[in-house]
Amino acid sequence: MTSGPLAGIRILEVGTMLAGPYATMTLADLGAEVIKIEPATGEISRQVSDSYFASLNRGKRSVCLDLTVDEGRARLGEMVAGADALLVNLKPSAIHRLGLTYERLREFNERIVCVAITGYGLHGGDDPAFDYVIQAATGVAALTGDPEGPPTLPGYSSADNSTGLTAALGLLAQIVSGRGGQIDVSLRDVMLSQLNYHASAYLNTGTEPVRRAGGAHSYYVPAQMFPTAEGYIALFITHDGFWRAFANEAGIDGFWRMAERAARRDEVLSVVTSALAADSAANWEKRLKPLGIPIAAVRTLPEALAQTPEVVVEAGGFRTIRCPITMSDHVPEYRPAPSLGEMQV
């Protein structure tokens, strides 16, 4: 029996790969009972690698059901009767065909919360919607990378992960309401939502966002990546106090107001780039962090993990990253990812 703020909540998952499993793993970390419903061959991410599967499925149990046959659907109905939510991420046609919607499942449980994660919406069609495809389709890729080079994708699945967390939030909101219902979360809508101030500027003033060197912020200057004598740093100056502290340490005079720095962006970036070239990224971080200036040397993942060993936890023989939600009265029990079909129903 698990403990935690979500103890007593039972969630069924028909999830594949990343977005759905990440959503339910986060809920399991917070104490929910998560039962992963898989075909006899196993959820497809089991074929990627054991560590991949473990990174997204710790703390769950697994049951094998063939949802394409009457017996499997009947078993699902029995499970839905005793569950609080069902989360699924499949193509919309498969979700409808398998009857994984509130409309079809409410006969077993009026208060069941059904969450569908899809690429373009539960009624948006079956066009392939992998993470990087969505980033390209929503304008995210066009905003990323050097303006003199091609559009760029980040090195991790930002659309899948963001959508998983959004789906978990929607699931919990509906449970709190005490009502059953259908929750529809799409990767496309989540990524467009996360372009918030870019989208607002375009929709309200016609200002189209542009890709800037170093990933520069649209409003704050300087706020981007810079080369140094050795390595790169991210420097994020968001107000005049930060600028005064930085300028004094870097030996820069002038540009004291944010409006001036924004209006004279190219001049500011030239001066800052020249100043930062005088020392290494590691040394700039040591010099500027004590002044309260937002700065970080660019690290590799191994370097970042070496500096934050506390985020690494062990679950079933695999080291993974802990739940990002820290609570004063709950420490997650990091249990292993389930073996296929370990639970009988």
Side-chain angles (χ1 to χ4, degrees), residues 101-240:
T101 63
Y102 181 73
E103 181 182 4
R104 297 281 294 276
L105 296 175
R106 64 186 301 175
E107 65 175 290
F108 303 102
N109 181 354
E110 280 282 343
R111 296 180 65 177
I112 190 72
V113 175
C114 292
V115 182
I117 297 177
T118 63
Y120 304 97
L122 191 51
H123 301 283
D126 277 358
D127 286 346
F130 291 94
D131 186 287
Y132 287 178
V133 173
I134 293 296
Q135 291 191 51
T138 55
V140 175
L143 283 171
T144 309
D146 192 286
E148 302 302 319
T152 304
L153 296 166
Y156 82 110
S157 301
S158 61
D160 278 333
N161 283 292
S162 297
T163 303
L165 293 176
T166 303
L169 176 61
L171 181 154
L172 291 176
Q174 191 71 2
I175 287 179
V176 168
S177 78
R179 303 185 302 273
Q182 182 69 56
I183 307 294
D184 188 356
V185 181
S186 75
L187 274 74
R188 178 199 62 191
D189 289 359
V190 168
M191 295 314 287
L192 287 172
S193 171
Q194 293 197 349
L195 289 175
N196 34 55
Y197 63 83
H198 286 301
S200 184
Y202 174 71
L203 292 170
N204 293 288
T205 68
T207 304
E208 185 174 348
V210 297
R211 194 159 72 242
R212 300 181 186 276
H217 196 277
S218 298
Y219 298 105
Y220 304 125
V221 181
Q224 63 182 70
M225 307 285 291
F226 289 96
T228 70
E230 182 181 347
Y232 288 80
I233 61 168
L235 176 67
F236 208 72
I237 302 296
T238 57
H239 61 68
D240 295 336

Side-chain angles (χ1 to χ4, degrees), residues 1-3 28-31 58-59 314-315 330-336:
M1 181 66 67
T2 61
S3 62
D29 284 342
L30 298 177
R58 68 178 174 229
E314 192 274 337
H330 172 62
V331 177
E333 178 187 353
Y334 295 110
R335 294 172 290 116

Side-chain angles (χ1 to χ4, degrees), residues 289-310:
K289 265 196 169 183
L291 303 178
I293 296 169
I295 186 171
V298 174
R299 295 178 175 83
T300 63
L301 176 60
E303 290 170 339
L305 291 176
Q307 287 211 337
T308 55
E310 68 276 9

